Amino acid sequence: MSLSNTTENAALKMFLQGTDPSYRAGATQYLMLSVGDPGEAASLAGECTYTGYARVALTKASAWTDGGSSFTNAALIQFGQRSDAGATQTVTHFAVVDTASGAVNMMISGALSASLAISQNIQPQFAIGALTITAD
């Protein structure tokens, strides 16, 4: 798991200056899938592009279960089913971002426990507890 540079800076401003990040007050965050590590620079270059893909909206107050030293997804998360027959996209990472599309403030990214090959008619989904975010 990695915090983006933007999130690290926002945390310092919050702790040291009392300034809340602009995305903190929003009730919704979004989960995105990536074919590579977005890294701390929060690169969107690897975000999925298949027909049917969209970031999934998550309600902050209920999306994650606090496990003490880690958080897991509290409900089933389902992305859109792939309807095109293009080249398989192999997802290796996820990220929590603040917008439904386009440019983002990426808060957190992490590697999946196993890569996920998405070809025609595949609908990516994560069972309850399948995504884990742990502070390193």
Side-chain angles (χ1 to χ4, degrees), residues 20-113:
D20 277 344
S22 61
Y23 53 80
R24 187 197 65 79
T28 305
Q29 55 192 198
Y30 299 87
L31 189 68
M32 63 171 258
L33 297 177
S34 182
V35 298
D37 185 355
E40 291 190 17
S43 171
L44 298 179
E47 185 171 11
C48 283
T49 57
Y50 67 83
T51 303
Y53 171 79
R55 296 174 187 163
V56 174
L58 303 172
T59 303
K60 287 182 182 179
S62 60
W64 302 97
T65 300
D66 183 350
S69 61
S70 64
F71 285 76
T72 58
N73 57 306
L76 173 69
I77 298 173
Q78 291 183 308
F79 286 84
Q81 180 174 312
R82 182 171 183 168
S83 60
D84 67 277
T88 298
Q89 292 186 331
T90 302
V91 175
T92 58
H93 288 76
F94 68 92
V96 178
V97 300
D98 68 342
T99 61
S101 63
V104 301
N105 285 307
M106 183 187 84
M107 282 71 82
I108 299 166
S109 67
L112 298 177
S113 58

